[in-house]
Amino acid sequence: MDFFNLVLRTVIGGICGLGIGLHPMIGMTLISSLTGIGMLWVFGRTSNQDAIATTKKRLQAYLLEMRLFGDDIGLVFSAQRKLIFGNVRYIGLMMKPMIFLTAPLLLLLIHMDAFYGATPLVIGEPAVVTLQASGRFGTNAAVPELEAPAGIRVETPGVRVIESGQMSWRIRAEQPVEGDLKFRWGGKEWTKSVASGDPFRNLSIRRVTGLWDSLLNVGEDRLAQDEVDWIEIRYPAAEVPLAGLKLHWLIWFFVISMVAAYALKGYFGVTF
Amino acid sequence: MKKAVGNGGRLIARLVVGGIAALTLFFLVDIPSAPPPEPYLAYVGPGAGFAFLGSFMSLLAAFLVGAASILAWPVRVLWRTLSGKKGWKDAKVRKVIFLGLDGYDPELAERYMGEGKLPNLAGLRDSGTYSRLRTTYPPLSPVAWSTFATGVNPAKHSLYDFLNRSMKTYLPELSSSRVREPARFLRLGKWRFPLGKASIDMRRKSKTFWSILGDEGIDSSILRVPITFPPEKFNGRMLSAMCTPDLLGTQGTFQQFTTVGEGGQFDEAGQQRPLTRNGKGFKGAIEGPPNPLKDESGPMIVAFTLQVNGAGSGKLAVNGSSYDLKPGEYTPWIRLTFRAAPGVKVEGIARFLLTETSPNVSLYVTPINIDPEKPALPISHPTYYATYLAKLLGAYSTLGLAEDTWALNERVIDEQAFLDQAYSICGEREAMFDNALDKTKKGIVACVFDTSDRVQHMFFRYLEPDHPAHRNNPHGNGATQYENVIEDLYQRMDTIVGKALKHVDKDTVFFVLSDHGFKSFRRGINLNAWLLQNGYLALKDGADLGTPYLKGVDWSRTRAYTFGLTGVYLNQEGREAQGIVAKGDAAALKREISDKLSGLRDDELDQLAIQQAWPKETIYHGPYMDVAPDIVIGYANGYRSSWDAALGKVTAEVFQDNLKAWSGDHCVDPALVPGVIFCNRKFDSDNPGIEDLAPTTLGLFGQKPPAYMDGNDLFAAPKT
C-alpha cells in the first residue's frame, strides 16, 4: 500500500505541482481537465449510451411537449409526470458508470486533497499536533516526547487525555521548514512530516498505522510500530485563488472537470 | 438551400451550462466551509454530475415551463374571450380527424371490402358513409390535396402539377415552393458569408381551413398533408410533406456506391459513385450539398469505409461510428455531418443498404433527408415540432416524396427493399399520427399516408400478368412473390384505420379519404411527338430528338408544347418570352388541339388513348388561370404522359410501352380515378368532391365557409 500511495502521490502530486511557482490553477486546470476527459472515456465505455441518448431525447421531448400543447393543462401535467419518471430512469442509467468511476476518483480526490486541501503551517501561527496511542495511557507511565526540527518551536508540553490515549502539543513555525517531527516513547521513535511556508505541496495531515486508514491518509508511508495509531497535524485550510476569487479546490475541480467533459463529449462521441 | 449551423455558440452554451450544472452539483452536496478531513465523503460521483447536467436542468426547465403554462392559461382564455374569436361557441364537434390514404382506389377498396378483407373500412361504410370522391383536374396529389386544404379549384390555389413552366426560360420549376439564397454575401477570398437568410416561398395560394379555424382559436395537428412546405404559421402544429426537399435541394437523389458501373447520373433522380478498394475493404465519399460558405465550391463530402464480411453482410464506418450491415436490412437513420468550415456544419440523415457483395459490391444510400432533430430548413410549425417528434419517436424521413421510387425504377434496389423502406416510413408516420391523436384532445388532426400511393405506383404491374413492365423485370413474368402486395397494402391501411378508430368518440367526426384512385400505366404518350407530327411544334435545325427540357425546340415556329404530366401549353405572344400565338388566336387554337386530342387512339393497339382534352376555361375559374396549362389532358385507362414527355423531350414515336417498375398511375381522366371517402357519420351528398372537405370542416366547427370556396358543406343543404 505504501508503494501504491507513493506512485499515486508522485504522479498526481507531479501534475498538480506543474507551474506551481506561477499559479496553482495551472496544475489544477491540468489535472481537472485530464480527469474530465478520463471520466468521459470511462463513462462512454461503461454506460448504456443508446439508452442514455434515448432517455435524454425523451426528456427534451417532454419539455417541448409542454410548449407545444401549452393550452392543455392536463397535457402539461402529464408531460411533467413523464419528465420525473424519465429523470429517475436517466439517473438509474448513471449507476453503472458511477460504480466504475467512483473508486478511482475517490483515490484521485484523496490525493488532490493532500495537495490542495491544506496549507503548510503559517510562519508565526500556532498549530496542534496530536498523537493517538493504540491504547489508553497509564497514569504514571512514561509519555511520548516530541522533538521538532529547526524552525518549528514546541510551545507547550504534551497534554494527555488518558482515557482516549491522545496526547497533544502546540507548535509554532518560525521559518519555512520541510522536515520531520520526532516522537520518542518507551524506547521507540516515530516520525511525522511537517512543513511550513509557501502553500500548495503534498502535505500529510495524518500519518497512520492501519492498512485501511492508509487508503485515506496518503501523504506518508505507514507508521511502523503498533503502539501508535496515528499522528496528526492540524494544518490550516487552503483555498485556491483565481482572479481575486478564493474557492475550495473541490469547486474548481468540479467546474473544470465537468466543463472539460461537457465541451469534449461531442469529440469523444459520448452522450450524458 | 442549406443553413449553416454555427458551432461556436453551441460550445459557449455548453461551457456555461456545464459550469452552472457543476456549481449546482457542488452546492447540493454537503461540503463544509472548512476543508473536511475526508472531502471524498462529499463526492457523489461523476455519473451524478453528468446526470445533473441533464436531469436537474430538465426538471428545473419543466418546473418553469409548467408554472408558466399554468400562470398563462387564464390569461390566454381571457385574451381569447376579449379578442372576439368565435372559438368553440358554435362548434358541433370536439374533434375532426382526417386520415388521408393517398391513391386509395375505390374499385380495389370496394372489391376487398366485398371480400371481407377491410373490416374497419367496411364498418365505417356500414355505420356511417362511404362514397367515391370526385377529384381534381388533373388528379394529381399536389393539386388534389391543395384543393382539400383550401376548398377551391386549382385556379384559386394555383397548383396544377408538380411543375410549372417558366414563361421566360421555358424551363420547368417546382410549382409549390421556391427556395432562394440570401440576396447578399460578404466575400472574403474564397469564402462568402450570408448577410441575411435564405427565403422559402409557398406558391400555393388561398387559405387552408386549418388556418381559418386557427384564427378563431381552434387548434390543429397537420401531419404530412401534401404541399405544406414551407410550413405555414397558424394556430397549431404542422409537419411538412410533399415537395419538402432533401439536403441537396432536390426532390430526392439517392446515391449508389459500386465497384462496377461508370458512375454518373441515373436517368431519373440518382447518382452512381465509385466504391474503391481500401486495404481489405472499400471506401467511398457521400456527396452532400455545395458548401454554402464558398463560391462555386464542389459538394461537401462525408467519407465512409465498408468492410464486407461475406454472405451479404458488412460493416460501415461513417462519421466516427460503425454500423452492422445485414443482408436485406437497412441501417437505422444515420446522421451525416458535412463540415462547411471549422465549427460550421450541415447535417442530414440517410439509411444504407448493402445490395450486393459478390462478385461486385454495391451500397445504396437513400436521399439525404433533412435531419428532423436539427432541421437545416424549416419543415414544421412551430420549428421545434419536427424536433419534438424526432426526440420522442426517433429519426424519421422528412423528404416530401420519401419512398425512393426512383431507386427501384433504376433497379438499384429490388422490390423487397422498396417495400421494406416504404413500410418503415409508414411505421414512422403511424407513430406520429398516433401521437397527434393522443395529444390533440380537440380540434383537427389530419395525417396523410403516402405509402398507399407509392406502393401502387411500383406494384400495379403485379395485378396484370401481361403488363409491359414485366418485360423489364429481373424476376420474369412468372413472379408471384409480389402478386398480393397491393391487397396487403389495402389491408395494412385498413389496420391503421382500425387504430385511429380507437380515438373516435361521439363528439368526433372521422374521415378517411383519398385524393384519387389508381389505374394501370401501360403505355406512355409523348404529346410533344404528336405536336411535332401535327405541325404545332418545330425543332431547331439539327436538334436531336430526346433532348430534355425542350432545349431543342424552335420557339419561333412552335405554337404548343408539353412537359409535366397532364398539360399542353400554348406558346403565346406576350406571355411566353418567345411566344408566337397571338392572344386573339389562342382560344381557337386551344379548341382545335383539344378537339384533335379528345378521343385520340393508339393505332398500334387499337385502343383509346385520350378520353378528353379540356381547354382550361372549361374546367377552371379563378385568379390564377394564367399559370394553368392551356389544355388539360384526360388520358384513357392504361395511358399516361410518357417519361420523355414529362421531361420535355421530343421523341419520334408518340406511343411507347412503359417498361418501368412505376407501373400504376392516376394522371388520367379524373372521372376514371375518383378517390374514396368514408365517414363515421352519415352525410347526404350523391357526388362529394375533395373540395367539399374544407367547407364541411368549417361547418362542423360552426364557422361559415368563405364565399370564395367552391366546395359544399357535406352536412348542410347543397348550395343553390
Side-chain angles (χ1 to χ4, degrees), chain A residues 5-22:
Chain A
N5 279 340
L6 174 68
V7 171
L8 288 181
R9 194 161 63 230
T10 307
V11 173
I12 296 168
I15 297 170
C16 294
L18 285 172
I20 201 75
L22 297 172

Side-chain angles (χ1 to χ4, degrees), chain A residues 6 10 28-29 32 37 55 57 73 75 86 97 105 112 115 136 139 150 154 161 170 195 220 222 231 250 260 269:
Chain A
L6 174 68
T10 307
M28 168 62 78
T29 304
S32 303
I37 293 166
T55 307
K57 282 180 183 180
I73 290 293
L75 275 179
L105 271 147
M112 285 183 72
F115 194 93
R136 65 196 294 272
T139 311
V154 181
V161 181
R170 191 171 74 206
E220 291 176 272
R222 283 184 293 148
I231 305 167
L250 261 176

Side-chain angles (χ1 to χ4, degrees), chain B residues 595-720:
Chain B
D595 289 347
K596 286 183 179 174
L597 286 176
S598 294
L600 183 75
R601 295 191 70 80
D602 176 359
D603 291 336
E604 190 181 334
L605 299 184
D606 191 23
Q607 286 180 347
L608 182 66
I610 293 178
Q611 297 253 127
Q612 197 170 351
W614 298 275
K616 64 180 176 182
E617 293 78 9
T618 63
I619 50 175
Y620 300 135
H621 57 282
Y624 301 106
M625 291 286 280
D626 57 328
V627 188
D630 292 297
I631 301 164
V632 175
I633 309 297
Y635 292 100
N637 189 358
Y639 289 82
R640 201 206 75 175
S641 177
S642 73
W643 294 103
D644 287 335
L647 289 173
K649 293 180 185 175
V650 185
T651 54
E653 300 295 323
V654 175
F655 294 97
Q656 209 171 22
D657 277 343
N658 171 36
L659 302 178
K660 294 195 183 255
W662 182 294
S663 50
D665 216 302
H666 43 81
C667 305
V668 295
D669 182 343
L672 297 175
V673 283
V676 296
I677 183 165
F678 294 83
C679 182
N680 65 330
R681 292 193 182 181
K682 292 190 184 299
F683 59 77
D684 188 19
S685 169
D686 55 1
N687 186 25
I690 197 163
E691 72 279 8
D692 294 335
L693 275 307
T696 299
T697 311
L698 294 178
L700 286 169
F701 285 102
Q703 310 289 327
K704 191 176 174 201
Y708 64 78
M709 280 193 175
D710 298 319
N712 298 317
D713 183 343
L714 294 171
F715 293 107
K719 277 183 185 174
T720 54

Side-chain angles (χ1 to χ4, degrees), chain B residues 66-211:
Chain B
S69 297
I70 293 161
L71 291 173
W73 189 71
V75 179
R76 276 202 291 260
V77 171
L78 188 66
W79 170 251
R80 221 174 282 146
T81 309
L82 295 176
S83 64
K85 290 179 180 174
K86 275 186 82 179
W88 294 86
K89 205 169 69 178
D90 298 324
K92 299 165 196 155
V93 294
R94 196 171 53 86
K95 185 152 77 175
V96 175
I97 301 171
F98 288 103
L99 169 50
L101 303 176
D102 200 302
Y104 211 72
D105 182 69
E107 279 182 30
L108 290 171
E110 287 161 16
R111 186 206 302 173
Y112 297 138
M113 278 194 290
E115 294 168 1
K117 290 170 178 165
L118 308 177
N120 295 301
L121 286 170
L124 270 178
R125 176 197 60 190
D126 297 342
S127 61
T129 307
Y130 162 70
S131 174
R132 296 188 175 199
L133 185 67
R134 205 167 11 83
T135 183
T136 48
Y137 291 87
L140 292 176
S141 293
V143 187
W145 287 114
S146 294
T147 291
F148 159 78
T150 58
V152 299
N153 83 93
K156 292 180 183 173
H157 61 55
S158 186
L159 261 94
Y160 299 92
D161 199 332
F162 284 93
L163 301 172
N164 273 344
R165 88 290 197 194
S166 163
M167 294 187 203
K168 286 182 184 169
T169 63
Y170 297 91
L171 288 173
E173 52 189 29
L174 198 61
S175 62
S176 62
S177 61
R178 181 163 40 204
V179 182
R180 280 181 288 205
E181 281 198 323
R184 292 188 304 143
F185 288 87
L186 173 66
R187 292 172 199 281
L188 293 172
K190 64 179 180 179
W191 298 96
R192 61 171 197 166
F193 300 95
L195 300 172
K197 289 182 176 176
S199 68
I200 311 164
D201 304 325
M202 165 60 89
R203 303 178 82 178
R204 188 200 63 220
K205 308 298 181 188
S206 199
K207 194 165 182 177
T208 57
F209 67 82
W210 51 77
S211 181

Side-chain angles (χ1 to χ4, degrees), chain B residues 344-387:
Chain B
V344 182
K345 56 190 178 182
V346 181
E347 291 179 318
I349 55 170
R351 298 176 76 183
F352 296 72
L353 177 71
L354 197 54
T355 52
E356 59 178 335
T357 53
S358 179
N360 304 307
V361 179
S362 296
L363 180 72
Y364 160 76
V365 186
T366 64
I368 305 168
N369 285 228
I370 292 171
D371 182 356
E373 211 175 316
K374 300 173 182 173
L377 285 176
I379 56 167
S380 68
H381 172 77
T383 48
Y384 53 84
Y385 185 46
T387 308

Side-chain angles (χ1 to χ4, degrees), chain A residues 48-68:
Chain A
N48 184 342
Q49 284 285 290
D50 288 343
I52 288 173
T54 304
T55 307
K56 195 178 152 194
K57 282 180 183 180
R58 290 213 172 126
L59 290 173
Q60 292 163 342
Y62 300 143
L63 282 171
L64 293 173
E65 196 166 287
M66 283 189 271
R67 284 182 69 192
L68 283 164

Side-chain angles (χ1 to χ4, degrees), chain B residues 305-578:
Chain B
T305 60
L306 171 69
Q307 299 289 331
V308 174
N309 305 329
S313 60
K315 195 174 260 300
L316 173 77
V318 61
N319 268 159
S321 298
S322 64
Y323 304 87
D324 287 329
L325 298 170
K326 296 174 185 165
E329 260 186 47
Y330 287 90
T331 63
W333 288 106
I334 293 174
R335 180 171 289 148
L336 301 176
T337 303
F338 299 93
R339 299 190 187 280
V344 182
K345 56 190 178 182
V346 181
E347 291 179 318
I349 55 170
R351 298 176 76 183
F352 296 72
L353 177 71
L354 197 54
T355 52
E356 59 178 335
T357 53
S358 179
N360 304 307
V361 179
S362 296
L363 180 72
Y364 160 76
V365 186
T366 64
I368 305 168
N369 285 228
I370 292 171
D371 182 356
E373 211 175 316
K374 300 173 182 173
L377 285 176
I379 56 167
S380 68
H381 172 77
T383 48
Y384 53 84
Y385 185 46
T387 308
Y388 161 73
L389 290 171
K391 286 187 181 294
L392 188 70
L393 307 171
Y396 55 84
S397 60
T398 55
L399 180 62
L401 297 163
E403 300 84 357
D404 198 352
T405 54
W406 311 123
L408 177 53
N409 256 359
E410 297 289 356
R411 293 279 160 206
V412 168
I413 58 174
D414 62 16
E415 277 78 359
Q416 190 56 50
F418 176 81
L419 274 181
D420 291 346
Q421 187 186 95
Y423 282 122
S424 170
I425 291 166
C426 185
E428 293 168 0
R429 200 74 47 86
E430 271 191 81
M432 289 174 199
F433 184 40
D434 192 52
N435 177 267
L437 287 172
D438 199 39
K439 299 291 186 305
T440 313
K441 304 292 184 200
K442 48 185 204 170
I444 298 165
V445 179
C447 181
V448 174
F449 287 77
D450 306 309
T451 320
S452 39
D453 180 80
R454 307 299 185 272
V455 172
Q456 289 187 92
H457 273 303
M458 307 313 287
F459 285 83
F460 220 80
R461 59 204 147 112
Y462 290 103
L463 295 178
E464 299 177 350
D466 61 341
H467 194 288
H470 290 307
R471 279 183 251 146
N472 195 33
N473 188 343
H475 299 295
N477 285 352
T480 56
Q481 191 181 350
Y482 302 110
E483 65 186 10
N484 290 324
V485 163
I486 289 187
E487 185 180 314
D488 289 345
L489 168 78
Y490 275 67
Q491 289 182 302
R492 283 198 193 211
M493 296 300 113
D494 183 74
T495 307
I496 295 171
V497 172
K499 289 179 187 167
L501 274 168
K502 291 175 184 159
H503 295 268
V504 176
D505 58 20
K506 65 181 177 52
D507 295 322
T508 301
V509 175
F510 180 39
F511 291 104
V512 180
L513 75 153
S514 64
D515 54 335
H516 53 70
F518 250 87
K519 286 285 177 269
S520 181
F521 170 25
R522 300 168 64 94
R523 296 270 279 174
I525 306 179
N526 191 323
L527 285 182
N528 279 330
W530 184 89
L531 291 166
L532 179 70
Q533 290 173 9
N534 287 272
Y536 296 104
L537 182 145
L539 292 175
K540 291 174 192 164
D541 291 341
D544 291 332
L545 288 169
T547 311
Y549 307 123
L550 302 163
K551 283 183 181 164
V553 172
D554 180 350
W555 296 109
S556 67
R557 295 188 291 137
T558 291
R559 290 184 289 161
Y561 61 98
T562 186
F563 75 87
L565 295 167
T566 57
V568 171
Y569 301 85
L570 299 189
N571 187 26
Q572 191 175 311
E573 195 177 45
R575 189 180 68 180
E576 270 82 355
Q578 300 174 59

Side-chain angles (χ1 to χ4, degrees), chain A residues 36 39-40 43 54 56-73 75-78 80 82-84 87 90-91 94 97-98 101-102 105-106 109-110 113 117-118 205-206 216-217 235-239 247-251 253-267 270 272, chain B residues 10-11 13-15 17-19 22-23 25-27 29 31-59 61-67 69-70 73 76 80 219 221 235 237 335 373 381-382 384-385 387-388 390-393 435-436 438-441:
Chain A
M39 289 192 311
L40 202 58
F43 188 87
T54 304
K56 195 178 152 194
K57 282 180 183 180
R58 290 213 172 126
L59 290 173
Q60 292 163 342
Y62 300 143
L63 282 171
L64 293 173
E65 196 166 287
M66 283 189 271
R67 284 182 69 192
L68 283 164
F69 301 97
D71 280 347
D72 188 332
I73 290 293
L75 275 179
V76 171
F77 283 128
S78 163
Q80 287 196 318
K82 286 184 283 190
L83 252 172
I84 291 166
N87 270 293
Y90 184 66
I91 289 168
M94 299 290 158
M98 276 176 72
L101 281 164
T102 299
L105 271 147
L106 277 176
L109 290 175
I110 290 164
D113 192 58
I205 294 174
R206 181 181 285 191
L216 309 178
N217 298 278
Y235 286 112
E239 287 185 322
L247 293 173
H248 189 275
W249 70 270
L250 261 176
I251 298 177
F253 173 76
F254 273 115
V255 170
I256 296 168
S257 61
M258 295 305 297
V259 166
Y262 199 69
L264 292 170
K265 68 174 189 163
Y267 180 80
V270 175
F272 60 81
Chain B
R10 198 176 300 161
L11 179 63
R14 281 181 182 178
L15 295 174
V17 171
L23 281 172
L25 168 65
F26 177 78
F27 288 114
V29 297
I31 296 177
S33 54
E38 293 166 344
Y40 34 84
L41 292 181
Y43 182 65
V44 293
F50 290 162
F52 264 94
L53 285 180
S55 64
F56 177 75
M57 299 308 279
S58 66
L59 280 174
F63 172 77
L64 294 175
V65 176
S69 297
I70 293 161
W73 189 71
R76 276 202 291 260
R80 221 174 282 146
D219 182 55
S221 295
N235 176 24
R237 296 150 298 278
R335 180 171 289 148
E373 211 175 316
H381 172 77
Y384 53 84
Y385 185 46
T387 308
Y388 161 73
K391 286 187 181 294
L392 188 70
L393 307 171
N435 177 267
D438 199 39
K439 299 291 186 305
T440 313
K441 304 292 184 200

